[in-house]
Amino acid sequence: MKIKLATFRLDFLRKRKNSEPDRFNALHSASQWTLIWAKFKDHKLALIGLYILAAFYLCILFAPIITPYDPWEDSKYIYSPPTPIHIFHEGKLHRPFVYNQEINTTPETFERIFKTDYSTPYPVRFFVKGAEYHWLGFIKSNIHLFGVDPKTSINLMGTDVLGRDCFSRNIYGLQISLTVGLFGVFITFILGSIIGGIAGYYGGVIDNIVQRVVEFISCIPTIPMWMALGAVIPQDWGNLKVYFAITVILALRSWTGLSRQVRSKLLQLREEEYIVAAKVSGTSGWKIITTHLLPGFLSYLIVSLTLEIPKMILGETTLSFLGLGLRPPTVSLGVLLQDAQNLAAISAYPWLLVSAVLVVIAVLAFNFVGDGIRDAADPYKN
Amino acid sequence: MKLFQYIIRRMSWGALVLLFVSFFSFLVIQLPPGDYLTSYMARLEKSGMSIDNASMVALRHSYGLDQPFLVQYGKWFCRFIQGDMGVSFLYTEKVKVIILERLPATLLLSITSLLVIYLISIPIGIYAARRQYSVGDFLAAFFGFIGMAVPGFLLALILMWIAYQGFGVSIGGLQSPQFMDQPMSWAKAIDFMKHLPIPIIVITMSGTAALIRTMRATLLDELGKQYVTTARAKGLRESKLINKYPVRAAMNPIISSGGWLLPELFSGETIAAIVLGLPTIGPLLYRALLGEDMYLAAGCLMILSLLTIIGMLISDIILAITDPRIRLG
C-alpha cells in the first residue's frame, strides 16, 4: 500500500518538497479531498470536462452580459446565417468587423437572399449599450460584452424564424437546460438518500416494501412514462411552474437508482467492524450515520449524482423537443431544437442544430467529470 | 423443480407489477384537468358548432366519465383483463384493434434491436477487454461516448438528413408509399429491409454503448483473476482459455442486463418512431397524450409495460438457467 501511494504521481507535492521523506510525510498527512483532487487531475478527459462545465456555468451566470441581444426580440434578419467576422477590409488589416447583410427578395420565388454589402465595415465593439436587462433579477443595466452598430447585426450562430439571435437564445437555453439537471439531481439526492437510507439502515419489512416500489417504477419504460407525466402538466401553468414540474418528473424516475445504491452501500457498511465498535462504545445513531457512515459513501453518492445530471439534461431536451416539456417563450436547448424538427429546416438552416451540439458537449463533459471523480474517489481501485 | 418454482414466483410477481402499472397508467391519464369531452367541445365551439348541456351530460354518462375515479379504474381494468381496452376517441375505433395493428412492427423492431445489441456489443466488448488501450479499444470507447451523449431523436434526425443528402431518399416510415397497400412480395421485402437500418441504429445506439462498457469492465475483472493465470500456465489454448471461462462468467451481467435494457429499448423505440414516423406503438401514445385520448394512452402505456415485464421475465428465466446461484438463492 505504501509503495503504491508513494509511486503514484502527485504533482502538488513535488512542487513543495523534493526530498523523499518529506514527500512521503506530505502524502500521508494529505486529507482525503487533497488526494482525490490530485488523482482527478491525472485524468485528462475529466479535467477538460471540468473546464468546459466551468465555462458553461460562467456563461449561464453572465448570460445577459455575454449575449449581444435580447433572446426574445424579433428582428428583420429572418433565418440569417451566422455572421462572418472579418479582419481584412479592401486588402488592409482592420480591427475585427462585420459587413452588413442586405435582404433582397427574388420576384419569382419570393426567396429571401442575403447579399453582403462590402462597402462599409462595422467594427465589433466591446461593452456596448444595447437591450436593457436585469442581471440576476435586480441589477439593471444595458451594457453587453460585445456588439455592433444598430444599423447592422452580429449573429454568431445565425437567427431563427422570427429573426431572433440564436447565439443569445442558446446561451439562455443553456441557462435552463443545465440548471434543470442540477435541480433535478438535488431532488433525486433528497428522495434517494432518505428513502434508500431508511431502507438500508432499518432493513426488514420497510426495506422489502421500498425495494418492491423501486422495481415497480423501473418496469415502466422511461420515455413513455416521462411523456405521460409531461402531458399531465396543465397548459395554463406559468413558465416557472412548468420548469419545476419538469424537474420533479425527471427526478421521479432517477431516485430509484440512487436509493438502491445508498441501500446496498449502507447494508454493507452496517456490518463493518468499525461501525459495530462505535455502537458498542455507545455512539448515538445520528453520530454513527453522520460521522462514520456518510463519509464512507459520500464520494460514491457524488459520482452517481454527477452521472445522473446528463441523463436529466437529455430527458429535458427530449421532452421539450416533443412538445411535452418546457414550452416557448421559455428557451431551453430542447425548445430551441423544436425548430429543427424536420429535414427541410435542417438542410436549409443547419445552424439551428448548434443547440444539439451544445447538448452533446454538456452531456459528454458531465460524463467525463463523473468518470474522473469515480476513478479518483474510489480508494479501493488500483 | 427449483427452477419451476422460481419461474412461478417470478410470474406472479410480474402479474402484481402489471396491476401497479395499470393503476399508475390510469391515474396519469386521469390527472389532466378536463377530459376528452371538454377538449372535444372546445374544438366544436371553435368551428362554430355548439352542443347543449343535456346532450353533453348524456355523452359524458355514456362514456362513464361522470363516475368517481376508482369506479372508472375498476371497470376499465376488468375489461382490460378480458381484452377490451375501450374505444379511442381520436380514431373512433377500438383501442385493441389500433394497438394490435401496430404490435407486429413494434415487436419486430424491438426484438431485432435486442439481437443487434447483443451481437455487436459482446464481440466488441471481448475485443476491447483483450486488447486494452489498443486503437480498437479507444474506438470502442469513443463510440460508447457518442452513444451515451447523443440523444436518440437527434441521431434519428441526423441519419435521416445524411440519407436524404447522400442518397436522395427520404427514409421515413418502414416502407415506401407505393408498397403501402400491396401484398407481400420480394420487392416489398427488399424495400422494407432498406428502411430498417436507420431505426435499428437509432434504437440500439445507447444500449450497445452501455453493454460494451459493461462487457469490457466485467471481462477485465475476470481476466485479472488467478484461475486465468493458472490456465495460461498450464498451456491452455488462448481462444479456449478466454471463451470457455472468463467470457462465460462475464456474460451474467449481460444476461441480467435484459432487465434494464428492455425499458430502455422501448424508450428509444418510442423516440425513434416519433421522429422517423414508424408505425409502432410509441407514436400512438404520443398522439393519444397530446389529444387527451385517455383509453388509447392508457392502453399504449399498459402494452409497453407488459412487453417490458414479459421481457424481464424471460431474461430472469435465462439467467436462472445459466446461473444456478440465482435459482437456489
Side-chain angles (χ1 to χ4, degrees):
Chain A
M1 194 65 197
K2 268 181 188 170
I3 298 161
K4 201 182 276 174
L5 270 177
T7 47
F8 98 62
R9 202 158 58 84
L10 290 169
D11 291 336
F12 73 107
L13 296 171
R14 203 172 293 153
K15 266 176 226 155
R16 219 183 298 156
K17 296 271 160 67
N18 283 322
S19 64
E20 197 57 31
D22 281 341
R23 260 185 73 191
F24 205 75
N25 285 339
L27 189 64
H28 281 268
S29 59
S31 75
Q32 189 194 1
W33 295 107
T34 330
L35 287 172
I36 289 177
W37 173 239
K39 202 158 179 212
F40 182 84
K41 278 201 301 191
D42 276 354
H43 199 302
K44 284 285 165 290
L45 276 177
L47 210 56
I48 294 172
L50 194 67
Y51 290 145
I52 292 176
L53 288 183
F56 273 179
Y57 280 100
L58 274 180
C59 282
I60 287 177
L61 188 61
F62 297 103
I65 301 170
I66 292 171
T67 56
Y69 298 105
D70 179 334
W72 293 278
E73 194 185 63
D74 302 353
S75 77
K76 60 175 180 168
Y77 299 95
I78 288 169
Y79 281 136
S80 148
T83 321
I85 293 173
H86 303 266
I87 49 168
F88 286 104
H89 179 59
E90 288 167 354
K92 264 180 253 155
L93 196 64
H94 193 281
R95 64 175 288 182
F97 66 95
V98 299
Y99 287 120
N100 188 27
Q101 305 275 332
E102 277 172 5
I103 308 157
N104 296 316
T105 314
T106 53
E108 298 89 19
T109 56
F110 293 105
E111 205 181 344
R112 282 168 309 97
I113 289 176
F114 287 96
K115 204 170 144 262
T116 311
D117 170 17
Y118 290 105
S119 59
T120 28
Y122 293 93
V124 178
R125 300 193 186 285
F126 292 96
F127 299 104
V128 291
K129 282 189 179 146
E132 219 165 65
Y133 56 83
H134 294 266
W135 185 49
L136 300 177
F138 61 90
I139 301 171
K140 200 170 142 189
S141 169
N142 61 358
I143 302 293
H144 295 263
L145 180 64
F146 66 95
V148 289
D149 197 279
K151 271 182 252 162
T152 180
S153 135
I154 179 166
N155 308 107
L156 293 180
M157 296 177 183
T159 59
D160 71 354
V161 60
L162 294 174
R164 295 173 293 198
D165 178 39
C166 283
F167 175 71
S168 308
R169 287 177 72 74
N170 273 315
I171 297 286
Y172 276 83
L174 274 179
Q175 213 171 23
I176 299 289
S177 290
L178 290 192
T179 50
V180 159
L182 288 190
F183 276 116
V185 156
F186 182 67
I187 300 172
T188 304
F189 173 71
I190 291 178
L191 279 178
S193 51
I194 290 179
I195 297 176
I198 290 173
Y201 197 75
Y202 292 103
V205 184
I206 300 175
D207 180 32
N208 221 334
I209 294 173
V210 171
Q211 287 315 300
R212 296 295 86 83
V213 172
V214 166
E215 259 180 65
F216 279 145
I217 296 178
S218 28
C219 275
I220 309 175
T222 318
I223 300 239
M225 176 179 164
W226 278 345
M227 279 165 58
L229 290 171
V232 168
I233 302 171
Q235 288 296 324
D236 53 351
W237 275 17
N239 295 336
L240 204 63
K241 253 177 153 180
V242 174
Y243 176 84
F244 281 110
I246 292 290
T247 54
V248 170
I249 288 176
L250 295 175
L252 268 184
R253 183 68 211 287
S254 62
W255 71 264
T256 56
L258 189 74
S259 81
R260 243 183 206 169
Q261 287 174 340
V262 171
R263 169 187 168 268
S264 64
K265 207 75 193 165
L266 265 182
L267 279 179
Q268 185 195 332
L269 285 178
R270 208 170 59 156
E271 307 299 325
E272 293 280 333
E273 273 152 14
Y274 71 96
I275 301 295
V276 180
K279 258 188 204 153
V280 170
S281 58
T283 319
S284 71
W286 174 249
K287 188 137 197 237
I288 290 181
I289 293 178
T290 51
T291 63
H292 298 306
L293 286 176
L294 215 55
F297 66 92
L298 195 63
S299 57
Y300 205 75
L301 277 190
I302 293 174
V303 170
S304 48
L305 286 178
T306 323
L307 292 173
E308 207 57 53
I309 297 175
K311 286 186 202 157
M312 295 207 163
I313 295 175
L314 285 181
E316 182 276 322
T317 313
T318 306
L319 273 184
S320 304
F321 174 78
L322 292 176
L324 293 168
L326 300 166
R327 322 173 174 122
T330 307
V331 277
S332 80
L333 296 178
V335 173
L336 290 174
L337 280 171
Q338 281 179 5
D339 294 339
Q341 242 168 5
N342 54 58
L343 279 183
I346 298 177
S347 39
Y349 321 113
W351 55 88
L352 293 179
L353 283 180
V354 170
S355 320
V357 177
L358 290 176
V359 174
V360 174
I361 293 176
V363 169
L364 275 180
F366 268 116
N367 274 311
F368 288 149
V369 171
D371 279 352
I373 304 178
R374 177 166 50 204
D375 288 352
D378 187 355
Y380 301 108
K381 223 172 163 186
N382 43 4
Chain B
M1 212 50 221
K2 278 275 188 194
L3 183 64
F4 185 69
Q5 273 175 11
Y6 176 79
I7 292 174
I8 294 290
R9 207 167 65 225
R10 292 307 300 179
M11 277 176 87
S12 46
W13 172 238
L16 206 65
V17 173
L18 197 66
L19 191 71
F20 168 81
V21 170
S22 74
F23 186 77
F24 170 81
S25 314
F26 201 75
L27 182 71
V28 165
I29 307 311
Q30 281 284 5
L31 272 179
D35 46 42
Y36 174 74
L37 282 181
T38 19
S39 51
Y40 178 64
M41 201 162 73
R43 240 177 296 155
L44 274 186
E45 265 170 17
K46 243 186 212 161
S47 60
M49 287 193 284
S50 70
I51 199 165
D52 60 292
N53 254 342
S55 45
M56 195 67 200
V57 170
L59 259 179
R60 189 153 271 159
H61 184 73
S62 74
Y63 281 122
L65 293 175
D66 52 351
Q67 283 158 333
F69 171 74
L70 278 178
V71 177
Q72 279 193 52
Y73 167 70
K75 279 187 174 169
W76 174 77
F77 188 69
C78 287
R79 282 204 305 261
F80 186 90
I81 298 275
Q82 293 158 16
D84 174 15
M85 305 186 208
V87 176
S88 158
F89 301 116
L90 275 178
Y91 293 82
T92 56
E93 201 174 348
K94 278 194 173 157
V95 171
K96 190 177 154 191
V97 177
I98 307 171
I99 289 183
L100 277 183
E101 206 173 87
R102 286 165 173 254
L103 199 56
T106 312
L107 281 178
L108 179 84
L109 272 181
S110 314
I111 293 172
T112 322
S113 304
L114 198 64
L115 290 179
V116 167
I117 288 181
Y118 284 133
L119 282 181
I120 294 179
S121 61
I122 294 175
I124 294 185
I126 294 175
Y127 177 86
R130 284 188 61 185
R131 300 220 187 340
Q132 200 186 1
Y133 306 130
S134 69
V135 178
D137 185 23
F138 278 113
L139 274 180
F142 176 76
F143 170 76
F145 281 129
I146 297 295
M148 197 164 55
V150 178
F153 70 88
L154 186 66
L155 197 62
L157 275 175
I158 292 172
L159 287 179
M160 255 164 88
W161 187 48
I162 292 173
Y164 180 74
Q165 295 282 346
F167 307 101
V169 280
S170 84
I171 312 261
L174 276 180
Q175 47 191 245
S176 303
Q178 67 264 31
F179 290 110
M180 222 43 134
D181 295 317
Q182 281 188 19
M184 202 62 197
S185 65
W186 278 113
K188 185 172 175 171
I190 290 169
D191 178 64
F192 178 73
M193 294 303 279
K194 269 189 200 156
H195 281 81
L196 214 49
I198 288 189
I200 297 287
I201 293 175
V202 175
I203 299 169
T204 54
M205 193 73 173
S206 73
T208 311
L211 273 200
I212 290 178
R213 275 167 78 108
T214 318
M215 185 74 203
R216 178 179 180 273
T218 41
L219 190 57
L220 273 179
D221 281 352
E222 288 297 321
L223 286 179
K225 286 190 180 161
Q226 287 181 345
Y227 74 88
V228 178
T229 318
T230 312
R232 204 166 271 145
K234 275 171 60 186
L236 202 63
R237 211 160 13 99
E238 187 69 13
S239 61
K240 192 174 178 185
L241 165 86
I242 299 285
N243 294 333
K244 192 145 186 206
Y245 306 103
V247 168
R248 247 176 78 193
M251 281 296 280
N252 273 344
I254 299 287
I255 296 171
S256 65
S257 72
W260 57 261
L261 198 58
L262 275 159
E264 195 110 310
L265 217 58
F266 285 118
S267 283
E269 195 260 350
T270 305
I271 292 295
I274 292 171
V275 177
L276 296 169
L278 306 179
T280 60
I281 294 177
L284 204 61
L285 171 68
Y286 179 55
R287 236 167 289 154
L289 286 174
L290 289 183
E292 281 180 39
D293 189 346
M294 50 183 252
Y295 287 132
L296 185 57
C300 291
L301 265 182
M302 280 294 282
I303 292 295
L304 285 179
S305 307
L306 181 68
L307 291 178
T308 312
I309 292 168
I310 293 175
M312 285 176 159
L313 205 64
I314 296 174
S315 92
D316 275 346
I317 292 171
I318 296 178
L319 195 62
I321 293 170
T322 57
D323 189 350
R325 282 172 302 183
I326 304 281
R327 61 174 182 267
L328 298 174

